[in-house]
Amino acid sequence: MNNIQPLRGEISIITRMTADTTLFTLSTKPEYEVASSFLPGQFLELSLPGVGEIPVSYCGFPSNNGTIELCIRHIGHVTNAIKSSAKGDYVGLRGPFGRGFPIDTYGGMDMLLVAGGLGIAPIRSLLLNLLFVRKRYGRIRVVYAARASRLLLFLDELLDFKKNGIIELLLAVDSLAVGEKKNPDCRIALLPALFEEMKIEPEKTFTAVCGPSVVYPRIITSLQNLGVSDDRIHISLERRMKCGIGRCGHCAIGEYLCCLDGPVFSVAELSGVEGGIA
Amino acid sequence: MLTRFISDQNLPDFMQKLRKFGGIEGPLRGEDGGVRFGNLSDGTTPDIHAIRTLLPAKKYLFAPEERLFNYTLQEGYKILLEDISPVTLFALHPCELAGINYLDRLLGGDAPDPHYAARRSQITLIGISCLPDEFCSCHISPSPLQALSDIFMNIVEGGFVVTVYSSRGKEIMEDMKDLAEERELPVPQDARRFFGVSLPLNVMSEIDTGLPEWQKLADRCLGCGACSLCCPTCACFNILEFAGLDGVSSERIRYWDNCLFKSHSMVAGGAVFNKGRAERFIYRYRHKQRGFGPLRGVPSCVGCGRCRAFCPIGLDLRVLTELLERSAV
Ligand SMILES: Cc1cc2nc3c(=O)[nH]c(=O)nc-3n(C[C@H](O)[C@H](O)[C@H](O)COP(=O)(O)OP(=O)(O)OC[C@H]3O[C@@H](n4cnc5c(N)ncnc54)[C@H](O)[C@@H]3O)c2cc1C
Ligand code: SF4
Ligand code: SF4
Ligand code: FES
């Protein structure tokens, strides 16, 4: 694994998803194919020459042709600059880094995946991994909320999975746009409301959560109210990650370093850790 | 243990001969009265009795600002490793050595940081015994006692008792035979000859940071970052990339960062995980005592006393100890 030196990746497909979000398919061949084998929940450090380096979650499924997918929201210095990248452009890659979702422990279990906003990126990666060997798992439910309908990412794909009966899908948006028709598959509510009438079998359920940190306390409370124990609530935390390899000190959470010990933690591991769950 | 003796009179010659092995850097007292590590290669006499330099010797191993990579279209990102010439760091106190030993664990190890490793491999460490003052807390940390150096000089009546701890140290002392006679001398147990004002052993590690006294102390912190800047084991860094004028090439630079600053934990969108100054103050002390990640459980305060001595408002955890002692009565 390459820790220090960014190696070459090449942008091969650019898919505009919303006004501020783009899906990049990158080829890691021939220089850095290692970057294409990863666990869902792990991340890479992505460099844009002349601009900077940022941590980004893997959003797809490990491919055997060396391609990876990254879903990027354009909100700052590096993420805005990459918006004008073109097919064939060079990017630097380091990784995979961090501890992903412990999928080995999910075998035979019901899975409840929870995503808010851009949190769908690593959750989609996890979902694709689960669906790859669908029969290993019990029920798979995906709970996904965004601010507005046009911001729901990978919607067609998720609706397809639902239609094929391989997942159950609960969607919500904060509000409808002016003149927008209500979609029967999608509620107008905040994320925690989606758990209100839910029935689960807590002793055979694992949950995986990724979303903005501000909603974590409420999501966790909802899941606890459903009877899920803290060691079965796996959440992915975002921190400022400059190095990804436990050296720069920016991603510390109590005595953890998020880049090495996370970004995926169980709520049990974070209990009593100051600065863990906001 | 086999030791050598260097007399006070022979010290200048010893320094002179040391120059053969590369540059020499050591503590120098400036006109402003402040002590800083500086160049001794021209024969300048170091201030071997100075208590503490403003910045620790970490600046030699972990540069305040360093070019890490450049990017070109042809070659992609390429690591930049300067040609670093050999340098001897002279008159390092046990806490200073312990600080370097800690950085070795943090940035060295099995997969070392290449820029750190490049500097470190060129550095020889010569330690010296010292006389702690009231700011020092080395006695509550075992690390200064166990600190590693290439050569260590214990100040005794009329000179120095010199012990050698590495092959590099041996090589240097081989060359000093005429200046440093071999003698069976007792090596003082403790290189720190005086223990300053004593702090109870649990001063930082076991204090409940939720205590109102802690909060009161922390609330006074200005967030200036001096305490982290001058700490021998504070090594957080930030990395920035700068585009070249040709519009194609670029350089990536790493520089010291500081957990007392709000920006330290800020992510895109402006979320900050260590919001208040007091929170960040407490966070720093807790980290010093408890460590994190792979060095969890390894205290990194080596007791040099700089953070106390150089804090512009004199924030000192010993105030807290006193408060606690008083409230316990
Ligand atoms: C584990 C992890 C996974 C992530 N996955 C995704 C993803 O799949 N898609 C996505 O769009 N975003 C993801 N992010 C967030 C993404 O890293 C930030 O949006 C990005 O760093 C913002 O950089 P910027 O230069 O565009 O923003 P600015 O606000 O301009 O940031 C300024 C500088 O601060 C630094 N900075 C800001 N936030 C971070 C951060 N979180 N880590 C390190 N440095 C930071 C950057 O170096 C940047 O140069 C993830 C973050 C983490 C920690
Ligand atoms: S925390 Fe203070 S006393 Fe301890 S090593 Fe750092 S600067 Fe020195
Ligand atoms: S030097 Fe003193 S005032 Fe400045 S950040 Fe440190 S504790 Fe706070
Ligand atoms: S990202 Fe640098 S220590 Fe975690």
Side-chain angles (χ1 to χ4, degrees):
Chain A
M1 186 171 79
N2 174 41
N3 281 338
I4 308 257
Q5 160 118 32
L7 291 175
R8 185 188 182 83
E10 194 180 298
I11 297 177
S12 50
I13 306 171
I14 297 176
T15 316
R16 301 279 170 217
M17 307 198 65
T18 68
D20 71 352
T21 310
T22 307
L23 182 69
F24 292 93
T25 306
L26 307 178
S27 166
T28 60
K29 274 184 178 169
E31 204 168 275
Y32 196 33
E33 223 180 317
V34 198
S36 64
S37 56
F38 59 89
L39 281 174
Q42 286 191 298
F43 67 97
L44 285 164
E45 290 281 348
L46 172 74
S47 293
L48 198 59
V51 189
E53 188 178 51
I54 57 166
V56 184
S57 299
Y58 286 97
C59 135
F61 184 71
S63 70
N64 47 20
N65 66 358
T67 61
I68 53 173
E69 287 178 312
L70 304 178
C71 177
I72 293 180
R73 177 158 293 171
H74 311 296
I75 51 164
H77 182 62
V78 178
T79 49
N80 280 330
I82 202 170
K83 202 172 177 179
S84 41
S85 292
K87 204 177 153 207
D89 278 2
Y90 177 110
V91 289
L93 303 173
R94 296 191 294 128
F97 294 132
R99 183 173 65 150
F101 291 103
I103 37 176
D104 286 345
T105 62
Y106 296 161
M109 294 287 163
D110 285 351
M111 294 302 301
L112 176 55
L113 312 189
V114 184
L118 193 62
I120 193 67
I123 292 296
R124 172 181 183 251
S125 176
L126 175 60
L127 178 62
L128 298 180
N129 271 268
L130 299 178
L131 294 181
F132 185 66
V133 273
R134 177 66 187 87
K135 61 175 189 303
R136 266 193 75 202
Y137 309 95
R139 287 173 80 169
I140 299 179
R141 271 179 283 201
V142 178
V143 176
Y144 176 28
R147 271 179 294 126
S149 317
R150 68 190 156 76
L151 300 178
L152 285 167
L153 306 168
F154 304 105
L155 188 58
D156 293 343
E157 183 181 278
L158 290 169
L159 290 171
D160 263 356
F161 292 152
K162 180 185 176 184
K163 209 163 70 197
N164 293 333
I166 51 177
I167 67 166
E168 295 157 64
L169 184 63
L170 286 92
L171 299 170
V173 293
D174 292 3
S175 59
L176 290 181
V178 183
E180 184 184 343
K181 258 207 356 246
K182 196 181 166 313
N183 179 333
D185 290 312
C186 181
R187 288 178 53 183
I188 298 162
L190 296 177
L191 220 172
L194 294 177
F195 300 110
E196 274 160 18
E197 285 138 42
M198 190 179 279
K199 295 262 175 308
I200 66 161
E201 294 178 65
E203 61 295 339
K204 56 177 292 224
T205 302
F206 271 91
T207 62
V209 184
C210 187
S213 58
V214 285
V215 300
Y216 280 164
R218 292 192 57 195
I219 293 178
I220 291 166
T221 308
S222 303
L223 294 174
Q224 287 165 336
N225 290 343
L226 288 175
V228 187
S229 59
D230 286 356
D231 58 331
R232 290 179 171 214
I233 307 175
H234 298 153
I235 63 173
S236 176
L237 297 185
E238 181 187 355
R239 286 296 182 276
R240 186 182 180 91
M241 292 185 182
K242 275 284 135 186
C243 70
I245 54 172
R247 294 229 161 108
C248 73
H250 280 103
C251 68
I253 304 171
E255 289 158 45
Y256 295 119
L257 285 178
C258 193
C259 66
L260 296 180
D261 301 312
V264 176
F265 292 93
S266 77
V267 168
E269 288 169 324
L270 293 171
S271 104
V273 178
E274 260 169 77
I277 294 156
Chain B
M1 187 184 288
L2 191 61
T3 53
R4 289 173 188 273
F5 181 78
I6 300 180
S7 66
D8 287 335
Q9 292 84 336
N10 278 344
L11 186 64
D13 290 342
F14 174 78
M15 302 283 299
Q16 173 67 33
K17 268 192 130 170
L18 210 47
R19 260 158 235 144
K20 226 174 75 180
F21 299 91
I24 310 177
E25 303 275 323
L28 287 173
R29 192 171 294 276
E31 279 166 19
D32 58 358
V35 184
R36 299 170 179 82
F37 280 106
N39 193 290
L40 306 175
S41 302
D42 59 356
T44 316
T45 330
D47 185 345
I48 58 167
H49 297 291
I51 294 284
R52 59 179 64 80
T53 54
L54 289 166
L55 281 184
K58 76 175 173 188
K59 66 178 182 181
Y60 295 109
L61 304 101
F62 170 54
E65 191 177 306
E66 182 149 53
R67 295 154 72 232
L68 298 182
F69 293 98
N70 70 0
Y71 170 85
T72 55
L73 262 185
Q74 298 76 34
E75 296 191 81
Y77 284 94
K78 227 180 111 205
I79 190 158
L80 297 173
L81 285 172
E82 277 173 49
D83 264 337
I84 292 154
S85 28
V87 59
T88 299
L89 303 182
F90 184 74
L92 304 174
H93 290 176
C95 59
E96 193 73 69
L97 293 170
I100 293 173
N101 294 167
Y102 181 82
L103 293 181
D104 284 346
R105 289 179 76 172
L106 183 72
L107 296 167
D110 296 339
D113 177 86
H115 297 87
Y116 180 84
R119 286 175 193 280
R120 183 68 180 88
S121 67
Q122 296 300 320
I123 286 176
T124 303
L125 305 175
I126 301 188
I128 201 158
S129 60
C130 60
L131 202 76
D133 68 4
E134 73 278 14
F135 290 112
C136 298
S137 61
C138 44
H139 64 296
I140 62 166
S141 161
S143 56
L145 267 187
Q146 298 153 357
L148 305 174
S149 59
D150 295 295
I151 294 170
F152 195 87
M153 300 170 60
N154 260 294
I155 302 177
V156 293
E157 189 75 38
F160 309 86
V161 176
V162 180
T163 34
V164 170
Y165 293 103
S166 71
S167 52
R168 191 177 323 197
K170 199 166 164 212
E171 186 197 337
I172 292 174
M173 289 314 291
E174 279 298 306
D175 212 57
M176 303 287 182
K177 278 195 169 131
D178 52 331
L179 296 171
E181 48 180 303
E182 243 167 58
R183 264 202 225 166
E184 201 67 52
L185 288 166
V187 180
Q189 276 287 309
D190 195 330
R192 308 153 302 177
R193 292 182 297 169
F194 169 76
F195 277 153
V197 176
S198 83
L199 284 168
L201 269 159
N202 66 354
V203 64
M204 293 193 250
S205 51
E206 283 157 38
I207 280 179
D208 171 5
T209 49
L211 289 174
E213 285 85 353
W214 243 111
Q215 203 60 44
K216 248 187 267 165
L217 200 70
D219 278 339
R220 292 176 50 214
C221 169
L222 309 171
C224 71
C227 52
S228 153
L229 186 74
C230 69
C231 176
T233 59
C234 275
C236 284
F237 58 82
N238 200 3
I239 297 176
L240 286 179
E241 188 149 330
F242 296 94
L245 290 175
D246 59 5
V248 188
S249 67
S250 66
E251 256 182 16
R252 185 172 292 183
I253 291 172
R254 149 168 96 190
Y255 56 91
W256 290 359
D257 206 345
N258 202 310
C259 68
L260 275 311
F261 300 160
K262 194 172 175 184
S263 58
H264 191 261
S265 66
M266 189 183 285
V267 297
V272 175
F273 299 94
N274 267 332
K275 289 191 186 65
R277 281 197 298 269
E279 245 173 292
R280 297 195 290 274
F281 172 87
I282 291 171
Y283 164 84
R284 173 168 184 273
Y285 281 98
R286 188 181 294 140
H287 172 218
K288 287 287 127 185
Q289 284 311 304
R290 298 187 189 165
F292 50 43
L295 294 179
R296 178 165 36 234
V298 180
S300 60
C301 173
V302 296
C304 74
R306 284 188 180 87
C307 57
R308 295 183 271 282
F310 301 140
C311 172
I313 55 167
L315 276 194
D316 184 339
L317 290 182
R318 287 170 309 185
V319 177
L320 178 64
T321 327
E322 281 162 26
L323 276 173
L324 289 174
E325 272 167 6
R326 240 181 289 149
S327 61
V329 185

